Amino acid sequence: VNWDLNEDQRMVRDMVREFVDAEIVPHAGEWDQEARFPEEVFRELGELGLFGMNVPEEYGGAGLDGISSCLVLEELARGDASTCVAISVTNSVFCAPILMYGTEEQKQRWLVPCASGEWLGAFSLSEPDVGSDAGALRAVAERHGDEYVLNGSKAWVTSGEVCGALVVFALTDPEAKRGRISGFIVPRDTEGVVVIPKEHKMGIRSSPTNQISFEDCRVPVSQRLGAEGQGLEIALRSLDGGRAGIAAQAVGIAQAALEASLGYVQEREAFGRPIGLFEGLQGRLVQMAAEIRAARCLYLRAAALRASGQPDTTAASEAKLFASEMANRATYEAVQIHGGYGYVADYPVERLYRDARVTTIYEGTSEIQRLVIARTLLSPDA
Ligand SMILES: Cc1cc2nc3c(=O)[nH]c(=O)nc-3n(C[C@H](O)[C@H](O)[C@H](O)COP(=O)(O)OP(=O)(O)OC[C@H]3O[C@@H](n4cnc5c(N)ncnc54)[C@H](O)[C@@H]3O)c2cc1C
């Protein structure tokens, strides 16, 4: 096993780390308080090539490998988990499915502007009544000649109100046992796409999350992604890739909580000495650091397997499960280490604690990750 990052991977990580420290860390608290999507920073992130990190250079992308893009997501989340999730969704569940299943024309039309930083992408699978059980979705896409007509309500669309286009999933054959669902690429400004004002969330507050209603929305057949009936496969395959990214996001949040705590324990005094000298707190910091490193290894393994074309479903679920649960433990500890100051917005750990919470929920809850992992554990050739 070679644990060393190569020179390119280190260079990309360090470049983004520098950007995050200068442009994101100082403002993340204010964006969170105002629940404001920081357009100005996204313009710069787009110029840095972070909207199309794994998109090949021939489509204007950065052409990075999967390990580098996860390292970038960790660094972004260390600064601001909201910023990270918009970049993660654009790369993992908008660009990636188009790269894997799109026609040459679709790649030219949708990947080129996204990769050049013109707009963010979104992914619309969940519905108000359907989340974990993705196959039970209800939105329909009825074929009329050269078009599909989309109708139905979608929920929880990250970047719904700020994206340029969405990958949307709907039923094309509601009666079929398999192959009921198809994927579509839909620009947000298409007639019949109605974006509902954003949710008021506990955390990742500067990332807008919207319900979207499709009302007789006409989409040409040329915007269907993959074959008719291939939608569930496309959605699940994309989510496998996304999960390593969410694991990286969780590691970034936890790393920020650790760094804030290491600083605090050296400044704060109690009983006449810095609180960092108390063994009780040292033990907590050591546990956080060890678990962060373990979670990082897990997401790097999942990303490496995917990059080499090996099966990565279980590895991605293990990484997402462990990293997201770990980020919740680490941010809880960070609040505790800060005492009363951990409970107010003057210190970043209050935001990190709220931001970590969603990582065990989106892109598959912890319970769903356990189901996925159990399948491998219980299969005879596991
Ligand atoms: C901030 C945010 C952003 C999101 N962004 C997106 C997005 O961009 N695109 C998108 O499509 N979706 C998005 N989602 C939706 C997210 O993926 C779902 O919330 C998630 O998949 C869970 O679905 P649900 O909320 O319907 O919960 P449910 O599926 O109703 O689950 C409720 C509870 O039941 C448990 N449960 C369900 N089935 C089982 C089972 N078989 N065994 C054991 N336990 C089970 C779950 O783990 C959970 O604890 C987002 C969600 C949030 C909160």
Side-chain angles (χ1 to χ4, degrees), residues 1 3 5 22 39 47 50 56 70 75 134 138 149 152 157 198 215 241 244 261 280 284 313 318 350:
V1 177
W3 294 105
L5 300 179
E39 260 174 58
E47 280 163 20
L50 301 195
C70 280
E75 289 305 322
R138 296 178 188 171
V149 180
V157 184
K198 68 184 177 195
E215 300 175 4
S261 302
R284 286 163 186 243
T313 302
E318 286 172 349
E350 179 266 348

Side-chain angles (χ1 to χ4, degrees), residues 89 123-126 130-132 155-158 201 204 209 358 361-365 367-368 371:
V89 164
F123 176 82
S124 182
L125 177 65
S126 304
V130 180
S132 305
W156 310 114
V157 184
T158 296
K201 303 200 299 295
I204 56 163
T209 311
V358 75
I361 296 172
Y362 57 21
E363 301 216 9
T365 62
E367 290 73 26
I368 295 302
L371 285 182

Side-chain angles (χ1 to χ4, degrees), residues 37 157-163 188 195-198 208-210 212:
F37 175 78
V157 184
T158 296
S159 304
E161 66 186 41
V162 295
C163 69
R188 179 170 57 99
V195 180
I196 291 152
K198 68 184 177 195
T209 311
N210 302 87
I212 295 189

Side-chain angles (χ1 to χ4, degrees), residues 59-313:
Y59 302 112
L64 297 183
D65 62 41
I67 290 180
S68 300
S69 49
C70 280
L71 293 168
V72 168
L73 294 175
E74 180 187 331
E75 289 305 322
L76 289 173
R78 192 178 54 78
D80 179 33
S82 297
T83 302
C84 174
V85 71
I87 297 293
S88 172
V89 164
T90 295
N91 281 278
S92 312
V93 288
F94 180 81
C95 290
I98 297 177
L99 263 176
M100 287 186 284
Y101 294 92
T103 61
E104 183 55 32
E105 188 205 330
Q106 288 172 339
K107 289 177 190 171
Q108 292 290 347
R109 180 160 173 210
W110 307 103
L111 292 180
V112 170
C114 186
S116 72
E118 246 177 73
W119 39 253
L120 289 165
F123 176 82
S124 182
L125 177 65
S126 304
E127 297 184 355
D129 295 318
V130 180
S132 305
D133 184 11
L137 59 78
R138 296 178 188 171
V140 289
E142 214 173 277
R143 179 126 183 207
H144 293 266
D146 289 344
E147 291 179 327
Y148 288 90
V149 180
L150 265 66
N151 276 293
S153 289
K154 291 289 182 180
W156 310 114
V157 184
T158 296
S159 304
E161 66 186 41
V162 295
C163 69
L166 312 97
V167 170
V168 182
F169 298 90
L171 294 172
T172 38
D173 189 355
E175 305 307 324
K177 281 224 167 83
R178 286 167 171 270
R180 306 159 74 224
I181 298 171
S182 301
F184 299 90
I185 308 166
V186 184
R188 179 170 57 99
D189 60 8
T190 308
E191 209 181 320
V193 176
V194 181
V195 180
I196 291 152
K198 68 184 177 195
E199 304 288 350
H200 182 76
K201 303 200 299 295
M202 171 200 279
I204 56 163
R205 286 166 48 79
S206 65
S207 153
T209 311
N210 302 87
Q211 280 200 35
I212 295 189
S213 158
F214 290 88
E215 300 175 4
D216 288 331
C217 173
R218 307 184 89 82
V219 176
V221 172
S222 61
Q223 285 169 219
R224 191 187 66 223
L225 185 59
E228 201 173 272
Q230 210 179 5
L232 195 58
E233 175 196 319
I234 297 174
L236 298 182
R237 182 92 189 102
S238 308
L239 288 170
D240 279 351
R243 281 171 187 157
I246 299 300
Q249 178 192 40
V251 171
I253 296 171
Q255 179 69 32
L258 175 63
E259 287 171 14
S261 302
L262 288 172
Y264 191 75
V265 298
Q266 293 175 67
E267 278 166 23
R268 178 76 178 173
E269 294 199 354
F271 300 95
R273 56 216 303 241
I275 59 172
L277 294 179
F278 297 121
E279 280 181 19
L281 291 194
Q282 286 177 1
R284 286 163 186 243
L285 292 164
V286 168
Q287 188 73 23
M288 282 163 80
E291 291 194 11
I292 289 170
R293 202 179 295 282
R296 190 177 288 121
C297 290
L298 285 176
Y299 88 63
L300 288 172
R301 175 172 176 267
L305 285 173
R306 171 161 279 227
S308 63
Q310 296 180 67
D312 64 327
T313 302

